[in-house]
């Protein structure tokens, strides 16, 4: 499972908000349609899903709410019974309806914030000079207002909630099914980290070969590409709970075979590869299932953030737990413990999560053809690049931490500080962004944080001591807060029937590029001092990130033009 992961398409429907269409006249708004027969008013859209406002899309992107629609131009509402046809649509409570398929996000001018690439939580302001004098909606049936011809008054409704911060991490833990997934993730991640350490020690004890021992770590990265590419289609063709449980059981079985004393080294490495092959399928399915459990809005973003925080924390505590365990039991005994953690995870997921049907079918293709079906979407390709490029360069100082400590002549305790600085920065950045920033702000800071993510590595140029190097790593890690906004863009851009495959590809790519980045760092350090390699990574990485950001902007602009033509 990933160590560093667990990181708006056009509207195909017929509805637009007033802010978008007032200048183009390309479609009706809720205000325009209220008194005509050409389309539904905002309140009517609750049962059709044909239009949306920014406030509703912030949470789910699935349909309109009654909290955001602006009153029609002209006379003020008096809150009396309408003399025309009575509205008999669904009751509006101010929350987005659940369970309805999304027609896709609606990019509005306020959302795009000059970038054209991602949504914010800003809600559209009501047309000037209008007033809504009737009572606030509280869940009672709407019988429609009467136009009385009174002079317009100032808006009487409450301020739009979009400007406030998101629901916070505590709101995510109120969802019972997420709590189960979270605890299962803890057990599964513990199994992965401890099994990696125990297997490395076991292989070294059996062979006394540093090469074969280090190869067990490399095998944790490279097979991700195979599993993520060839098996990604399973995530949409099979029920997600079944996939999660079976993957945990397969991992438990592989680790159980490692425990057998007669298992040769070659088979131990093959079993390690098998775990790495199914890991992207597990991670992609779990990520897609989070969108089913928490919706596609802010709760999903915060849920993903929590799982990433746990994964980063595993870098700080997992190997310590494994080291302590290995002082008590032999390597095979530690492996037996990890087999039990996988079984506990499987049991929790089987009993604690809801059975959901498969998202798609085999019609989208399998293997490479199915992968290309996802990557044909330019917007999705650009978002994946934005997930892949930063970790490609971010891992370089971690990969070279030991050589750098030797280069400047510091102790192993200083080496531990260098190893911890990056994940501590990542955890801090995510916690602050998730706790104190609104969805709108998190969306606006995606590109600024992403393109500057490896600039702190330039502080390595003068071959700094441990404090300055650790500060550079902490700052680089903190910029990882961009992934919260990027997660929201990604889940909005991918069609639901391809969500599992797309998220599997994304997580597989992240793990693969980390392996490539570590290997490339080692090769470069053979020809140049470590501090020069790290500083050069800051320059090269920033150039590549600027190119990826430019492609993401271009993809967003192309999507907007397509939406206007449609």
């Amino acid at each position: 499972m990933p160590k560093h992961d667990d990181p708006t398409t056009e509207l195909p429907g017929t509805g637009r908000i007033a802010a978008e269409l007032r200048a183009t006249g390309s479609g009706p708004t809720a205000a325009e349609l209220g008194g005509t027969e050409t389309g539904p008013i905002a309140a009517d859209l609750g049962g059709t899903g044909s239009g949306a406002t920014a406030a509703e899309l912030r949470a789910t992107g699935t349909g309109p709410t009654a909290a955001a629609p602006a009153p029609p131009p002209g006379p003020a509402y008096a809150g009396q019974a309408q003399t025309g046809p009575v509205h008999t649509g669904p009751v509006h409570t101010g929350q987005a309806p659940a369970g309805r398929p999304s027609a896709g996000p609606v990019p509005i001018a306020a959302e795009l914030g000059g970038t054209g690439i991602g949504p914010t939580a800003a809600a559209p302001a009501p047309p000037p000079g209008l007033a809504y004098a009737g009572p606030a909606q509280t869940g009672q049936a709407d019988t429609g207002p009467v136009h009385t011809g009174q002079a317009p008054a100032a808006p009487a409704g409450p301020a739009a909630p979009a400007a406030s911060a998101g629901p916070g991490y505590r709101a995510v833990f109120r969802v019972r099914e997420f709590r189960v997934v979270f605890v299962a993730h803890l057990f599964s991640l513990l199994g992965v980290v401890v099994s990696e350490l125990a297997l490395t020690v076991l292989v070294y004890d059996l062979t006394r070969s540093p090469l074969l021992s280090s190869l067990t770590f490399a095998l944790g990265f490279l097979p991700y590409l195979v599993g993520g590419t060839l098996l990604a289609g399973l995530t949409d063709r099979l029920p997600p709970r079944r996939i999660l449980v079976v993957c945990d059981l397969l991992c438990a079985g592989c680790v159980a075979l490692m425990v057998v004393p007669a298992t040769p080294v070659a088979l131990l490495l093959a079993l390690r590869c098998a775990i790495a092959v199914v890991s992207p399928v597990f991670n992609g399915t779990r990520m897609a299932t989070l969108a089913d459990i928490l919706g596609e809005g802010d709760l999903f973003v915060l849920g993903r953030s929590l799982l990433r925080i746990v994964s980063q924390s595993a870098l700080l505590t997992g190997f310590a737990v494994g080291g302590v365990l290995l002082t008590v039991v032999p390597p095979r005994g530690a492996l037996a413990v990890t087999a039990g953690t996988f079984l506990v995870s499987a049991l929790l997921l089987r009993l604690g999560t809801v059975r959901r049907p498969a998202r798609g079918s085999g019609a989208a293709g399998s293997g490479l053809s199915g992968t290309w079906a996802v990557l044909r979407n330019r917007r999705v390709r650009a978002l994946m690049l934005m997930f892949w490029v930063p970790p490609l360069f971010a891992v370089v100082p971690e990969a070279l931490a030991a050589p750098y400590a030797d280069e400047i002549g510091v102790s192993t305790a200083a080496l531990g500080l260098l190893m911890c600085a990056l994940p501590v920065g990542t955890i801090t950045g995510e916690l602050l962004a998730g706790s104190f920033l609104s969805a709108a702000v998190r969306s606006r800071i995606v590109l600024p944080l992403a393109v500057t993510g490896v600039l702190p590595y330039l502080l390595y140029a003068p071959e700094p001591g441990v404090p300055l190097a650790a500060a550079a790593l902490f700052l680089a890690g903190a910029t990882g807060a961009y992934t919260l906004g990027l997660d929201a863009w990604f889940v909005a851009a991918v069609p639901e029937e391809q969500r599992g495959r797309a998220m599997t590809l994304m997580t597989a790519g992240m793990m693969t590029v980390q392996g490539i980045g570590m290997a490339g760092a080692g090769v470069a350090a053979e020809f140049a001092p470590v501090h020069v390699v790290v500083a050069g990574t800051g320059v090269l990485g920033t150039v590549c990130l600027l190119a990826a950001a430019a492609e993401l902007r271009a993809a967003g602009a192309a999507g907007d033009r397509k939406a206007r033509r449609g």
Side-chain angles (χ1 to χ4, degrees), residues 25-56:
S26 57
T29 72
E32 294 164 346
L33 298 176
T36 71
E37 295 181 357
T38 59
I41 65 172
D44 294 329
L45 293 174
T48 65
S50 60
T53 71
E56 59 208 41

Side-chain angles (χ1 to χ4, degrees), residues 116-192:
I117 57 171
T120 76
L130 301 178
Y132 179 55
Q137 293 182 349
T138 59
Q140 298 177 357
D142 177 15
T143 58
V146 161
H147 300 284
T148 65
Q150 298 175 2
S164 61
Y169 289 112
R170 284 185 295 182
V172 182
F173 280 114
R174 294 191 190 105
V175 182
R176 185 200 63 82
E177 196 173 359
F178 174 78
R179 295 198 299 269
V180 174
V181 172
F182 182 82
V183 175
H185 177 60
L186 290 176
F187 278 99
S188 184
L189 187 63
L190 179 64
V192 170

Side-chain angles (χ1 to χ4, degrees), residues 26-451:
S26 57
T29 72
E32 294 164 346
L33 298 176
T36 71
E37 295 181 357
T38 59
I41 65 172
D44 294 329
L45 293 174
T48 65
S50 60
T53 71
E56 59 208 41
L57 294 173
R58 183 181 68 256
T60 63
T62 59
T65 78
Y77 283 122
Q80 303 297 321
Q82 183 174 336
T83 57
V86 176
H87 169 60
T88 58
V91 173
H92 299 285
T93 62
Q95 297 180 357
R100 216 165 38 233
S102 172
V106 181
I108 66 173
E111 291 171 337
L112 299 176
T115 66
I117 57 171
T120 76
L130 301 178
Y132 179 55
Q137 293 182 349
T138 59
Q140 298 177 357
D142 177 15
T143 58
V146 161
H147 300 284
T148 65
Q150 298 175 2
S164 61
Y169 289 112
R170 284 185 295 182
V172 182
F173 280 114
R174 294 191 190 105
V175 182
R176 185 200 63 82
E177 196 173 359
F178 174 78
R179 295 198 299 269
V180 174
V181 172
F182 182 82
V183 175
H185 177 60
L186 290 176
F187 278 99
S188 184
L189 187 63
L190 179 64
V192 170
V193 173
V194 175
S195 66
E196 284 180 350
L197 180 60
L199 183 60
T200 300
V201 174
L202 177 61
V203 169
Y204 184 75
D205 287 345
L206 294 174
T207 65
R208 294 296 169 182
S209 169
L211 175 61
L212 290 177
S213 179
S214 62
L215 187 60
T216 60
F217 279 105
L219 292 176
F221 289 95
L222 301 180
Y224 260 75
L225 182 62
V226 177
T229 302
L230 299 181
L231 302 179
L234 296 175
T235 58
D236 292 320
R237 294 203 303 269
L238 297 175
R241 186 177 69 178
R242 183 188 305 171
I243 296 175
L244 295 174
V245 172
V246 169
C247 285
D248 265 336
L249 292 177
L250 285 174
C251 291
C254 290
V255 174
L257 289 176
M258 296 177 185
V259 177
V260 178
T263 305
V265 173
L267 183 55
L268 290 174
L269 297 179
L271 292 170
R272 179 71 185 93
C273 284
I275 294 175
V277 166
V278 302
S279 289
V281 178
F282 180 91
N283 291 331
T285 303
R286 182 181 59 202
M287 182 175 171
T289 303
L290 278 186
D292 299 331
I293 296 172
L294 301 174
E296 299 174 7
D298 215 30
L299 287 182
F300 166 78
V301 171
L302 295 177
R304 280 276 297 144
S305 174
L306 282 170
L307 296 188
R308 274 196 303 269
I309 289 171
V310 171
S311 298
Q312 291 291 338
S313 300
L315 297 177
L316 303 176
T317 61
F319 288 119
V321 171
V324 172
L325 184 62
L326 287 173
T327 64
V328 180
V329 297
R332 293 188 191 275
L335 288 171
V337 172
T338 63
T341 63
F342 284 121
L343 291 175
V344 171
S345 175
L347 184 64
L348 287 170
L349 293 171
R350 175 62 182 83
L351 300 180
T353 59
V354 176
R355 186 186 186 281
R356 294 176 174 87
R359 293 178 187 84
S361 63
S366 59
L368 295 177
S369 63
T371 299
W372 178 240
V374 173
L375 296 179
R376 274 199 297 264
N377 186 322
R378 185 182 181 184
R379 172 75 171 169
V380 173
R381 290 199 310 271
L383 288 169
M384 283 192 178
L385 277 177
M386 215 63 214
F387 275 109
W388 294 343
V389 177
L392 174 65
F393 298 99
V395 297
V396 170
E398 285 187 300
L400 300 179
Y404 185 69
D406 182 65
E407 182 179 287
I408 62 176
V410 297
S411 65
T412 55
L415 172 61
L417 179 61
L418 292 176
M419 293 293 291
C420 292
L422 190 68
V424 167
T426 303
I427 293 170
T428 303
E430 291 228 11
L431 283 175
L432 292 176
S435 300
F436 300 109
L437 300 183
S438 68
V441 175
R442 292 200 297 264
S443 182
R444 286 196 294 269
I445 65 175
V446 168
L447 290 186
L449 288 183
V451 299

